[in-house]
Amino acid sequence: MPQNLWNDADARKLPDLEGLVYRSNMLGRDRSVVNIYGGNTSAKLKMTDHVGRTVEVLAVKASGSDVLTIVEKGFALLRLDEIKPLFQRKAMTDEEMTAYLERTAFEPGRPRQSIETLLHAFVPHPHVDHTHPDALISIMCTQDAEAQARAIYGERMAYVPYIRPGFALSKWIGGKVRENPNIECVVMGKHGLVTWGPDSLSVRSRVIPARCLIPAGVTSLE
Ligand code: ZN
């Protein structure tokens, strides 16, 4: 059963980007919640650019980094105002997406963003976690995954069937969250979970939703 490793006293001392690092490291300490190099975390932050302007920045885990060991420099920083209009597009290839996002860099020298970056950008909440919990994936690989997810989460979730990560999946997820303002998570068939919150302190209560992952009456998933 996943353990909640969060320490409020530690987390409260940390400013936004450091808080995101802390949250990410906590998730990575339990490999049954996030596999090595898997999953990604983000925060939408206000930062001051080189001209002195305050801009909204999406800090998102870079491709090739692991949430357990990630540090501040392991996050890509992207100008969110330049990314938001992409939600209106019908389609983008991976190559188009990568080329576009490279042009939104907030500062030079940062690593390349995750392929799941638009998922984070399109979910209209300040802090977003995308995890691959073993317990959830084991249920989401069953034939009636959507019904199983509904039995566990009820009206608290939206479900998206499996498609490979990219623009279409990101748009599906962003669309579900916008259409259903009362849901608390998006369950991804054969893939994982998306959760969010107004700050790291509140999103953490949803990042390891053990009670939600295990159906009532089930004590073992072996
Ligand atoms: Zn994923």
Side-chain angles (χ1 to χ4, degrees):
M1 179 72 76
Q3 300 295 310
N4 190 342
L5 303 170
W6 188 271
N7 182 313
D8 268 356
D10 287 347
R12 281 184 198 285
K13 292 181 224 152
L14 303 171
D16 285 338
L17 191 51
E18 288 180 34
L20 176 60
V21 170
Y22 178 81
R23 191 171 98 228
S24 306
N25 296 163
M26 287 298 107
L27 282 170
R29 283 172 61 178
D30 188 341
R31 290 303 185 190
S32 74
V33 174
V34 188
N35 50 318
I36 189 164
Y37 294 112
N40 30 68
T41 51
S42 72
K44 299 174 182 76
L45 308 172
K46 291 269 194 289
M47 291 187 173
T48 305
D49 73 5
H50 61 292
V51 182
R53 297 171 296 203
T54 300
V55 295
E56 197 175 11
V57 171
L58 176 68
V60 61
K61 192 192 92 167
S63 140
S65 53
D66 181 61
V67 287
L68 175 63
T69 53
I70 197 166
V71 295
E72 280 189 40
K73 288 286 181 194
F75 285 89
L77 299 181
L78 307 173
R79 292 174 182 270
L80 195 56
D81 282 350
E82 297 177 8
I83 302 175
K84 284 177 177 173
L86 295 181
F87 189 70
Q88 306 308 322
R89 293 202 185 188
K90 286 194 165 55
M92 281 182 101
T93 66
D94 290 353
E95 292 73 22
E96 288 169 340
M97 210 166 55
T98 302
Y100 185 101
L101 290 174
E102 277 178 0
R103 289 177 171 271
T104 70
F106 175 72
E107 63 182 28
R110 286 271 170 180
R112 176 180 287 186
Q113 66 285 336
S114 157
I115 189 73
E116 288 169 324
T117 290
L118 289 186
L119 174 167
H120 291 265
F122 291 165
V123 170
H125 293 279
H127 292 260
V128 178
D129 289 333
H130 164 49
T131 50
H132 299 153
D134 290 349
L136 181 65
I137 292 174
S138 68
I139 297 168
M140 289 311 104
C141 289
T142 59
Q143 281 192 337
D144 57 348
E146 183 172 2
Q148 296 278 359
R150 187 63 66 195
I152 298 167
Y153 291 95
E155 297 306 311
R156 299 167 58 197
M157 68 135 207
Y159 177 85
V160 294
Y162 180 80
I163 55 170
R164 71 172 191 82
F167 182 84
L169 179 61
S170 298
K171 190 160 170 173
W172 277 9
I173 290 170
K176 292 280 187 188
V177 179
R178 292 164 193 228
E179 291 160 14
N180 303 280
N182 295 323
I183 60 171
E184 297 174 23
C185 62
V186 173
V187 176
M188 305 157 74
K190 299 181 184 173
H191 186 156
L193 183 68
V194 182
T195 51
W196 51 84
D199 50 43
S200 279
L201 282 170
S202 57
V203 76
R204 59 94 190 187
S205 66
R206 302 174 187 193
V207 293
I208 309 177
R211 278 179 300 138
C212 306
L213 295 177
I214 312 298
V218 174
T219 55
S220 169
L221 290 170
E222 290 177 357

